[in-house]
């Protein structure tokens, strides 16, 4: 029983972390933000095409996210059920991972289609903007008194 409890805790924490990111990513419509429109010099046609790609994929993404949430809920129930055995837990875990993979494939295809709307120069600039944003987020997450890029002794 202690092993099952540890598995449940680890799995629960990983599910919370993993499921939080896609929801935030899906709500981020970068092509509608003035900063990206100006920084990438997006045309109205490009904005419209990217929005159409988003709108086409959104129903599938929502349905797949709901399926993932449902599978995760069922897995949690199986893990906490004292009558469950390892085979039942593994089967429920496989369903979760399958649902997660399907959601990831759809999201990846959506992003691929969006990238194809942009020119090579715009894609390069987009990567630079996202890299800068990521560095800013990482810098903001570090505690104020923490020394950065210092070797540990």
């Amino acid at each position: 029983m202690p092993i099952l409890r540890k598995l449940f805790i680890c799995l629960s924490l990983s599910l919370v972390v993993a499921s939080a990111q896609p929801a935030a990513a899906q709500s981020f419509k970068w092509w509608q933000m003035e900063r990206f429109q100006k920084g990438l010099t997006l045309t109205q046609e490009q904005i419209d095409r990217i929005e159409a790609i988003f709108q086409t994929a959104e129903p599938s993404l929502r349905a797949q996210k709901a399926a993932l949430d449902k599978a995760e809920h069922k897995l949690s129930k199986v893990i906490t059920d004292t009558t469950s055995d390892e085979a039942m837990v593994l089967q429920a875990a496989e369903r979760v991972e399958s649902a997660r993979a399907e959601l990831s494939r759809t999201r990846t295809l959506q992003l691929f289609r969006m990238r194809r709307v942009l020119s090579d120069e715009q894609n390069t600039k987009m990567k630079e903007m996202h890299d800068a944003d990521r560095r800013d987020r990482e810098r903001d997450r570090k505690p104020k008194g923490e020394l950065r890029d210092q070797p540990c002794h």
Side-chain angles (χ1 to χ4, degrees):
M1 189 66 169
I3 293 173
L4 209 63
R5 183 173 290 148
K6 287 178 185 177
L7 174 65
F8 175 70
I9 291 169
C10 291
L11 189 58
S12 297
L13 289 174
S14 67
L15 293 177
V16 168
V17 171
S19 64
Q21 192 174 5
Q26 290 175 12
S27 66
F28 178 61
K29 290 186 169 188
W30 56 266
W31 61 95
Q32 292 183 352
M33 298 175 69
E34 184 177 346
R35 180 171 151 263
F36 283 93
Q37 288 177 357
K38 287 185 177 184
L40 300 174
T41 60
L42 293 175
T43 66
Q44 188 59 50
E45 179 189 358
Q46 287 175 311
I47 294 167
D48 293 344
R49 287 176 59 197
I50 292 170
E51 179 66 22
I53 292 166
F54 176 83
Q55 292 299 328
T56 299
E58 187 178 27
S60 292
L61 289 169
R62 286 187 187 276
Q64 291 167 353
K65 178 67 169 96
L68 174 59
D69 291 345
K70 185 177 178 181
E72 288 174 338
H73 180 73
K74 285 182 179 180
L75 174 59
S76 293
K77 280 183 159 183
V78 169
I79 289 173
T80 58
D81 185 350
T82 58
T83 63
S84 296
D85 59 19
E86 286 187 19
M88 295 167 73
V89 171
L90 288 175
Q91 184 180 39
E94 285 295 324
R95 287 187 187 126
V96 167
E97 293 309 317
S98 177
R100 188 182 322 282
E102 185 176 353
L103 177 61
S104 180
R105 279 191 300 270
T106 301
R107 178 76 176 139
T108 299
L109 188 55
Q110 176 193 33
L111 295 174
F112 171 75
R113 289 174 177 159
M114 288 176 171
R115 281 183 56 89
R116 293 186 66 180
V117 172
L118 304 177
S119 69
D120 290 344
E121 294 81 18
Q122 288 171 317
N123 275 308
T124 299
K125 180 66 177 172
M126 170 70 85
K127 182 178 178 344
E128 291 169 3
M129 292 174 79
H130 279 292
D131 288 349
D133 288 348
R134 187 188 72 250
R135 283 191 303 273
D136 290 346
R137 283 190 307 273
E138 288 171 359
R139 183 192 68 233
D140 292 344
R141 275 187 243 156
K142 289 189 178 189
K144 301 252 187 251
E146 182 178 317
L147 294 175
R148 291 186 200 112
D149 301 324
Q150 297 293 321
C152 296
H153 295 290

